[in-house]
Amino acid sequence: MPQAPRTVSIKTATPIWLLLVELRTPLVVLILVYAISVLGLVLIPGMDDQGQVWHVSFLHAFYIVSYTGSTIGFGEIPYPFTDAQRLWMLFVLYASVIAWLYALGSVLSVLSDPAFKQLQHHRRFVRRIQSLKVPFWIVCGYGGAGAELVRFLAEHGIRCVVIDGDQSRVDAARLSELPYEIDVAHGDAGQPQVLVDAGVTHPLCRGVLAMTDHDQINLTIATNTRILASRVPVYSRSEKDSTTRNLLSFDVEVVIDPYRIMAREMVQMITKPTAYALYQQLVDPTICEVPMPPKVPAGHWIVCSSGRCAETLVDAFRRAEIPFRLISPDPLRTGGVAGMVRGLGTEATTLREAAISEAAGVIAATPDDGDNLSIVLTAQAENPALFLVARRNRPTSEPVFAAGPFDLVLRMGRILAQEMYARIRSPLLHQFLVQLESMPEPLVQGLIHRLQGKRVNPEAQITHFSITLSANAAPGAFDWMAEQPLTLGQLLIDPDGSTLPALCLLVVRLTGDLVPFPGDGFVLATGDQCLIWGESTVESRLDWMLGRRDLLAEAQHRRAASA
């Protein structure tokens, strides 16, 4: 059976091999100069101290040519040269110096070649990945979302390996201020070899995050990962329904559409501001307290957008029965919108056609940051009481949006990074957030008040984490439950017997049943997964007690004694 021809690429070559290939001609020139010089010096007769004819040996000739070519100049040894030898040595001197200058110049040219430097970086990158001793995630794409996600993960001790084809982004990743030196590969993440070099087949690879701006590349990354390392989970970004369906068809673990996330957040902010505030605290690792719910006025909304962003917002507003007027330059593919105004929204006339004076707020969500800023400023001039929402597309526009008169900025990269981070950090969180969408506002307000009432240190940060009541993850609790029932109230106590400043948001049973907001009397079972929400010190204290049955028993005894 004929074999496929073998090809060598810059990614599979070694720096020494590439250096030798580029130095073939200089090396041939240098070897020829030395060979001719040595041969000539051997053939030309000399004279010894007795006046007899004497020929230099090949060893002595090579020695003399070597120190002459390097301009060290040990002199005429072992005997003074004849005029013929001196004439030949003049040729040797100039020829060898010129050959060395040519060779050294070629070496410097190769060493300064960007391709050679890239190869060196790549080889060092591959060696570092192969030697990694800690778990890591592969992040494909270091744009706005990828950079935010890497920062979120790094701050919580989760290591990342980055792939990006843009050299400026690669340089930004290398210069980023992270707790560790990030490993970055410059290449196309859609190429299988790049994924292999980044460690997709490494036993410590925990997953691949397809975060590029192109759906087709994300799809290619997911399919390549499925074939190269089927055990590795894939979390993918998708901005088209067709891509989402394709990804789900071969069981990609997580598919996130940033436009749908944005639309869901907008509906939640308008209809359930307390749930929106809780959502933000749970998904954003930089928010350590539950923020104040936004005060959203009543009335219709003006949506200035186009393309799929407009379609997603319109569909979400229709489902939630939120009154709105759409300003868009193009008709929607999903059907007409009653009262739609053609335009961008940057002109006051289009905003007036949408009844800006009676509106509750305006959402400037075009793909152009300049247009979004113009829309907001024009709308504010027409109606100063508006609730102003602006979409920020490029991270470089952040200084303007951070200083602008906005009630809310939709940072698309951050929205995607938050959702990805929540799925990685605590897989149970997504299931709870689905439940949160249907929870009434009084229930959410009561949940927040319950946690505030349990808090011991008002300055402590609020966070969330998951625990599993299994023999490996919680041997102390597992042994307890083998002998007697364990309630949630018995679980959430400190080793000194006091109640931990935390709540259980959700319990997922082995059967797949979900129990949101279980009370203190809820009886836990082996294999239960619990989503815990509370002060940041709770995780380590609870983990300590779950591992030891004697501590759990002592805590129950102290609690009973203090009751």
Side-chain angles (χ1 to χ4, degrees):
M1 182 176 179
Q3 295 182 349
R6 180 177 296 179
T7 59
V8 178
S9 68
I10 190 172
K11 294 300 184 185
T12 58
T14 63
I16 296 299
W17 180 87
L18 183 61
L19 184 63
L20 292 176
V21 168
E22 296 296 326
L23 293 181
R24 282 177 299 183
T25 302
L27 286 175
V28 169
V29 171
L30 196 61
I31 291 171
L32 286 176
V33 168
Y34 266 65
I36 293 172
S37 299
V38 169
L39 182 62
L41 195 56
V42 169
L43 295 178
I44 296 175
M47 187 173 295
D48 61 13
D49 55 355
Q50 301 297 324
Q52 302 297 321
V53 176
W54 173 79
H55 286 275
V56 179
S57 68
F58 278 98
L59 176 60
H60 284 163
F62 182 71
Y63 176 62
I64 293 169
V65 170
S66 296
Y67 70 65
T68 303
S70 59
T71 67
I72 296 174
F74 283 154
E76 300 173 355
I77 57 174
Y79 307 111
F81 291 162
T82 63
D83 290 342
Q85 287 177 314
R86 288 171 181 163
L87 285 173
W88 183 251
M89 288 307 298
L90 286 174
F91 164 77
V92 171
L93 176 63
Y94 290 112
S96 59
V97 168
I98 293 173
W100 271 113
L101 290 176
Y102 175 44
L104 292 176
S106 300
V107 170
L108 294 176
S109 176
V110 173
L111 294 179
S112 62
D113 185 10
F116 184 79
K117 292 181 178 180
Q118 180 184 343
L119 177 58
Q120 287 183 303
H121 283 305
H122 180 76
R123 299 297 296 184
R124 285 197 295 267
F125 168 82
V126 172
R127 286 196 297 268
R128 285 198 305 268
I129 298 303
Q130 292 173 346
S131 62
L132 280 176
K133 305 299 182 183
V134 295
F136 63 92
W137 289 74
I138 300 176
V139 180
C140 303
Y142 196 77
E148 288 276 9
L149 180 58
V150 169
R151 183 170 62 86
F152 288 165
L153 295 174
E155 289 175 355
H156 288 80
I158 302 175
R159 192 179 184 93
C160 295
V161 174
V162 173
I163 305 172
D164 201 290
D166 188 326
Q167 186 60 50
S168 62
R169 291 181 177 180
V170 170
D171 295 338
R174 288 176 178 152
L175 296 174
S176 59
E177 296 181 359
L178 296 176
Y180 60 89
E181 183 181 355
I182 191 169
D183 296 308
V184 189
H186 178 242
D188 181 5
Q191 297 296 324
Q193 187 60 47
V194 176
L195 282 174
V196 172
D197 291 342
V200 72
T201 57
H202 196 290
L204 292 177
C205 180
R206 292 293 178 261
V208 174
L209 307 174
M211 304 283 288
T212 75
D213 299 328
H214 305 283
D215 276 18
Q216 189 58 41
I217 296 179
N218 292 334
L219 179 61
T220 303
I221 293 170
T223 54
N224 289 343
T225 302
R226 271 289 174 266
I227 296 172
L228 293 170
S230 58
R231 64 169 185 84
V232 175
V234 180
Y235 292 18
S236 179
R237 171 182 185 171
S238 174
E239 297 184 1
K240 298 178 182 177
D241 290 337
S242 58
T243 306
T244 300
R245 289 191 297 269
N246 199 343
L247 288 166
L248 294 175
S249 67
F250 53 92
D251 299 327
V252 169
E253 282 73 10
V254 175
V255 181
I256 298 177
D257 184 342
Y259 292 120
R260 292 194 180 278
I261 301 298
M262 179 191 67
R264 185 187 68 191
E265 287 190 20
M266 288 304 308
V267 169
Q268 196 173 49
M269 184 197 71
I270 296 170
T271 60
K272 297 179 178 179
T274 305
Y276 171 79
L278 177 58
Y279 170 84
Q280 291 297 317
Q281 197 282 320
L282 290 173
V283 301
D284 193 328
T286 64
I287 301 177
C288 302
E289 290 286 342
V290 180
M292 291 295 296
K295 296 180 179 179
V296 183
H300 76 276
W301 286 77
I302 297 178
V303 178
C304 303
S305 187
S306 60
R308 191 165 186 280
C309 181
E311 294 168 359
T312 308
L313 283 170
V314 166
D315 181 65
F317 276 38
R318 280 173 171 170
R319 291 176 181 272
E321 298 182 350
I322 299 173
F324 70 94
R325 299 287 296 275
L326 175 65
I327 300 178
S328 180
D330 303 309
L332 301 185
R333 293 173 298 175
T334 55
V337 177
M340 173 181 166
V341 178
R342 286 290 186 90
L344 290 174
T346 54
E347 303 89 2
T349 54
T350 55
L351 293 172
R352 290 169 188 160
E353 288 184 49
I356 187 69
S357 60
E358 303 170 5
V362 61
I363 303 174
T366 74
D368 186 273
D369 287 347
D371 287 343
N372 292 335
L373 293 170
S374 177
I375 291 168
V376 169
L377 294 178
T378 306
Q380 188 182 41
E382 292 291 318
N383 185 353
L386 286 171
F387 192 95
L388 302 175
V389 180
R391 169 185 170 186
R392 192 214 70 186
N393 300 280
R394 299 188 307 274
T396 52
S397 302
E398 179 59 26
V400 180
F401 281 86
F406 311 110
D407 296 290
L408 176 65
V409 176
L410 299 173
R411 297 172 174 85
M412 299 303 295
R414 192 179 185 87
I415 288 173
L416 179 60
Q418 287 173 343
E419 191 73 14
M420 283 281 191
Y421 170 80
R423 301 291 189 94
I424 296 170
R425 172 71 172 165
S426 180
L428 297 184
L429 182 59
H430 174 67
Q431 295 173 288
F432 172 75
L433 295 177
V434 173
Q435 301 289 322
L436 183 63
E437 292 184 38
S438 59
M439 290 177 185
E441 282 285 270
L443 180 59
V444 179
Q445 292 170 354
L447 175 70
I448 296 173
H449 291 154
R450 279 179 58 197
L451 179 61
Q452 296 296 345
K454 286 189 171 187
R455 296 190 66 178
V456 177
N457 181 10
E459 302 299 325
Q461 298 179 354
I462 298 178
T463 186
H464 59 82
F465 59 93
S466 301
I467 60 173
T468 302
L469 301 179
S470 64
N472 293 329
F478 184 83
D479 293 343
W480 179 285
M481 289 186 292
E483 300 172 2
Q484 55 187 307
L486 178 66
T487 65
L488 189 60
Q490 292 175 318
L491 179 69
L492 296 179
I493 60 173
D494 195 85
D496 64 5
S498 60
T499 302
L500 288 172
L503 296 176
C504 182
L505 299 179
L506 181 71
V507 173
V508 180
R509 320 224 75 159
L510 278 175
T511 59
D513 294 336
L514 304 181
V515 184
F517 303 136
D520 289 343
F522 180 79
V523 179
L524 297 166
T526 301
D528 282 352
Q529 298 179 67
C530 305
L531 177 63
I532 308 298
W533 181 52
E535 293 184 5
S536 56
T537 57
V538 170
E539 184 174 5
S540 59
R541 289 150 71 184
L542 185 59
D543 183 66
W544 182 33
M545 197 165 63
L546 288 174
R548 294 179 55 181
R549 188 191 181 286
D550 58 331
L551 282 179
L552 190 59
E554 180 64 21
Q556 307 304 324
H557 176 72
R558 291 184 178 183
R559 184 174 188 178
S562 62

